[in-house]
């Protein structure tokens, strides 16, 4: 839901790159002289954000890393937004450099790409090289062909949205059939993660300004969550963010299809329903046909009351949960009187 990173995608050479984050001038890099070739020791997120925003401070190091692997550095492209330092190397590769304070994202991304490689029907980036510079781990990964989902999704006809959501449901299920491998050791563990989220849930949503009529039902929902959310069931791979900013689409003969997934820095191992939250909140928009397509693609029939209640609880417990920003249903705050009505609004049927 949050924690988005720059798009790891590529379009054919004859196609205009439609990534909204590509602004004029971002591909123009003036020569940098006498810049430090070391990455600094940063102790907090604020100092890292400031460092990331000044690409002249780290671009020479990134290019030096790329040259060390014999990669082409003639046309670098800095992605100005996102979580880590990300640079495109030509039109085929991406270099992602992770600060030490976000080493867990490197571990997650590396292990996920290795574990999922060759096991999905949807392309994902491949690892070309990896290493560490001044305590900052990095990955060189392949770029994927397609158009960023967030650029296309709003304008798709309704039948095409249902088609893509069915494919997303199928892809979530396919990912979850892959054995955990090294991802079984990823922290936090599901039971500890859920218990921590439950403990901080009310304070979090109070701080984020959730309306009192919804806050009033949180205690009851959390009591239900302890019963409805499995804590010790066999875990599966959870990507956490199946949202338009993290997948690619392509159109063939007038039909849009899912053509690539990227961003595996926040992977967890846990209960399978958790990965239905992103597409439910950002894409299904409470439309019965979209909800049905997503759930059927995932392998669920029409949602019953227990599933709706569990999904509502998980939505409030998601690590990036912010209902005011993430529920894409117009006027939902006025259309639901409490959390029970809200779950019926998000997952009708």
């Amino acid at each position: 839901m949050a924690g988005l990173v720059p798009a790891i995608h590529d379009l054919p050479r004859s196609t205009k790159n439609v990534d909204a984050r590509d602004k004029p001038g971002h591909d123009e890099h003036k020569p940098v002289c006498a810049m430090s070739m070391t990455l600094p020791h940063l102790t907090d997120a604020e100092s890292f954000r400031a460092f990331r925003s000044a690409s002249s401070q780290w671009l020479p190091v990134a290019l030096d890393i790329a040259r060390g692997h014999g990669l082409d550095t003639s046309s670098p492209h800095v992605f100005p937004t996102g979580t880590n330092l990300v640079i495109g190397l030509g039109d085929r590769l991406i270099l992602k450099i992770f600060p030490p304070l976000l080493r867990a994202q490197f571990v997650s991304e590396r292990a996920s790409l290795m574990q999922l490689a060759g096991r999905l029907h949807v392309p994902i980036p491949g690892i070309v090289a990896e290493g560490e510079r001044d305590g900052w781990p990095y990955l060189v990964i392949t770029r994927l062909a397609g158009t960023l989902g967030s650029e296309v999704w709003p304008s798709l006809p309704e039948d095409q949205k249902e088609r893509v959501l069915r494919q997303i449901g199928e892809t979530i299920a396919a990912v979850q059939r892959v054995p955990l491998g090294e991802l079984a050791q990823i922290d936090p563990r599901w039971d500890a993660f859920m218990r921590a989220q439950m403990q901080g849930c009310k304070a979090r949503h109070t701080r984020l300004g959730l309306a009192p009529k919804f806050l009033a039902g949180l205690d009851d929902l959390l009591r239900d969550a302890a019963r409805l959310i499995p804590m010790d069931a066999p875990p599966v791979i959870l990507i956490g963010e199946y949202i338009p900013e993290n997948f690619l689409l392509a159109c063939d003969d007038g039909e849009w299809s899912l053509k690539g997934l990227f961003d595996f820095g926040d992977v967890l191992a846990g209960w399978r329903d958790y990965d239905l939250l992103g597409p439910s909140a950002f894409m299904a928009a409470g439309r019965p046909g979209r909800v049905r397509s997503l759930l059927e693609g995932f392998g669920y029939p029409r949602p019953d009351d227990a599933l709706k209640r569990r999904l509502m609880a998980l939505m409030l417990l998601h690590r990036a949960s912010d209902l005011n920003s993430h529920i894409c249903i117009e006027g939902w705050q006025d259309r639901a009187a409490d959390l029970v009505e809200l779950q019926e609004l998000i997952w009708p049927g």
Side-chain angles (χ1 to χ4, degrees):
M1 293 184 183
L4 307 181
V5 301
I8 303 168
H9 72 285
D10 172 44
L11 300 178
R13 292 177 183 272
S14 61
T15 305
K16 183 178 183 296
N17 190 324
V18 294
D19 189 335
R21 289 160 287 196
D22 289 349
K23 301 293 192 298
H26 283 156
D27 281 322
E28 301 171 4
H29 300 289
K30 298 180 180 179
V32 180
C33 300
M35 297 301 295
S36 171
M37 296 299 282
T38 18
L39 292 167
H41 175 65
L42 304 175
T43 58
D44 59 80
E46 184 176 352
S47 59
F48 169 64
R49 283 193 294 268
F51 178 71
R52 184 191 63 205
S53 67
S55 61
S56 62
Q57 297 184 54
W58 56 265
L59 180 58
V61 186
L63 297 179
D64 191 57
I65 290 172
R67 284 190 292 267
H69 289 281
L71 303 177
D72 180 13
T73 60
S74 61
S75 56
H77 170 78
V78 172
F79 290 93
T81 60
T83 307
N84 300 289
L85 309 181
V86 185
I87 178 173
L89 301 171
D91 59 1
R92 296 295 174 223
L93 298 175
I94 291 281
L95 169 61
K96 294 185 72 172
I97 308 174
F98 302 76
L101 55 89
L102 295 178
R103 178 175 288 272
Q105 289 200 0
F106 165 78
V107 172
S108 173
E109 181 117 10
R110 178 183 180 276
S112 299
L113 292 177
M114 292 178 66
Q115 189 65 15
L116 294 172
R119 288 185 159 115
L120 302 178
H121 62 283
V122 175
I124 63 172
I127 298 176
V128 174
E130 61 181 272
E132 190 166 303
R133 179 74 167 258
D134 304 317
W136 295 53
Y138 62 83
L139 292 171
V140 179
I141 57 180
T142 56
R143 301 178 81 163
L144 303 175
T147 303
L148 192 65
S150 57
E151 295 296 329
V152 179
W153 181 256
S155 62
L156 291 184
E158 192 65 22
D159 65 324
Q160 296 293 296
K161 289 182 175 177
E162 292 180 9
R163 171 185 168 86
V164 170
L165 276 166
R166 183 177 296 275
Q167 293 175 348
I168 289 174
E170 292 168 350
T171 300
I172 295 172
V175 169
Q176 294 183 355
R177 287 193 293 269
V178 175
L180 285 173
E182 291 183 18
L183 293 170
Q185 307 305 317
I186 289 285
D187 287 325
R189 302 303 174 91
W190 177 251
D191 57 346
F193 170 67
M194 274 289 106
R195 290 188 178 97
Q197 294 299 101
M198 289 178 186
Q199 290 174 3
C201 183
K202 193 162 189 175
R204 175 189 181 87
H205 289 288
T206 300
R207 173 173 55 83
L208 291 172
L210 188 63
K213 63 181 179 180
F214 300 122
L215 288 172
L218 265 182
D219 290 337
D220 288 341
L221 184 65
L222 291 173
R223 279 192 293 271
D224 290 346
R227 172 177 54 86
L228 291 171
I229 300 173
M231 296 295 180
D232 54 3
V236 298
I237 297 174
L238 301 174
I239 304 302
E241 293 181 340
Y242 287 91
I243 55 178
E245 289 81 0
N246 287 353
F247 62 73
L248 305 171
L249 299 175
C251 186
D252 299 307
D253 296 327
E255 291 195 330
W256 286 89
S257 298
L258 187 64
K259 291 297 183 181
L261 295 175
F262 58 89
D263 187 5
F264 299 91
D266 293 312
V267 165
L268 290 171
W271 179 248
R272 63 195 308 251
D273 293 358
Y274 187 81
D275 266 352
L276 292 170
L277 304 180
S280 292
F282 285 92
M283 303 173 69
R287 302 286 186 92
R290 296 190 205 175
V291 171
R292 182 174 60 253
S293 294
L294 172 66
L295 295 181
E296 287 179 356
F298 184 67
Y300 278 163
R302 185 184 296 261
D304 59 18
D305 290 341
L307 176 60
K308 294 178 185 181
R309 190 67 167 167
R310 181 163 62 245
L311 291 174
M312 189 73 254
L314 286 168
M315 185 170 284
L316 285 154
L317 295 170
H318 192 282
R319 70 192 336 166
S321 180
D322 180 359
L323 269 59
N324 289 329
S325 299
H326 296 156
I327 295 180
C328 296
I329 300 175
E330 186 174 355
W332 64 268
Q333 293 94 334
D334 297 323
R335 294 169 60 185
D338 53 31
L339 290 175
V340 174
E341 290 190 7
L342 182 57
Q343 71 193 36
E344 294 297 327
L345 187 63
I346 299 173
W347 296 283

